[in-house]
Amino acid sequence: AQRVTQPEKLLSVFKGAPVELKCNYSYSGSPELFWYVQYSRQRLQLLLRHISRESIKGFTADLNKGETSFHLKKPFAQEEDSAMYYCALTGFGNEKLTFGTGTRLTIIP
Amino acid sequence: DTGVSQNPRHKITKRGQNVTFRCDPISEHNRLYWYRQTLGQGPEFLTYFQNEAQLEKSRLLSDRFSAERPKGSFSTLEIQRTEQGDSAMYLCASSFGGVIDTQYFGPGTRLTVL
């Protein structure tokens, strides 16, 4: 079975402070991990994925297979980062995405 | 707008009625997915199509649910004899169809069953 755990439902961070959104997963094969973001009144959109190893909007995420984690980080939070963030998992030969329950990030001005 | 589109955006129905939702994927995308999202949860996979073939269905998809993609383009999701527990956001996504493609989501259809 595959599972994604986001332990924090809510996270508030001051503008300019570092951000870390936690994601842990359970998967028997070789996983591909994603972070999706949903801004207010907008559709779910891809923020970044492990395989591309990009930094998007200042966010990065490192896949740690030993700790089965894919935490999302940003060194300096901005007000426009306030949104709902979902970690998601899939794998080779497995087309569906399994999502975590999401973390609502609020940046305090 | 060349993204995934879904219609209607909102649907209110009475328990026991049938409802149908439509999803139009990004035009060159071969794969189409349906997810359901309830309050406080992440999206949960329902089913997906590769062109017109329905290749996987979740156990969440009871006999009252049926999905089609007759010409490999748009898809419909029908719920028969709706129940209050069917109230949710129904999301559609599409992808090219390669190995571990990025899925692009539509705005969703919010269903409320009274």
Side-chain angles (χ1 to χ4, degrees), chain B residues 18-33:
Chain B
N18 299 343
V19 294
T20 300
F21 311 140
R22 177 178 170 127
C23 171
D24 287 88
I26 294 170
S27 60
E28 60 268 30
H29 283 184
N30 296 319
R31 287 205 184 125
L32 187 150
Y33 309 79

Side-chain angles (χ1 to χ4, degrees), chain A residues 68-86:
Chain A
T68 59
S69 68
F70 190 59
H71 303 327
L72 184 68
K73 299 178 183 179
K74 184 171 182 176
F76 306 105
Q78 298 173 289
E79 287 184 61
E80 55 264 35
D81 297 331
S82 293
M84 193 76 181
Y85 291 80
Y86 293 96

Side-chain angles (χ1 to χ4, degrees), chain B residues 64-85:
Chain B
R64 297 184 297 106
F65 287 68
S66 62
E68 293 183 342
R69 194 182 183 200
K71 297 182 180 177
S73 57
F74 73 91
S75 175
T76 58
L77 177 68
E78 182 183 15
I79 308 174
Q80 296 182 325
R81 305 180 304 281
T82 52
E83 301 172 357
Q84 287 185 324

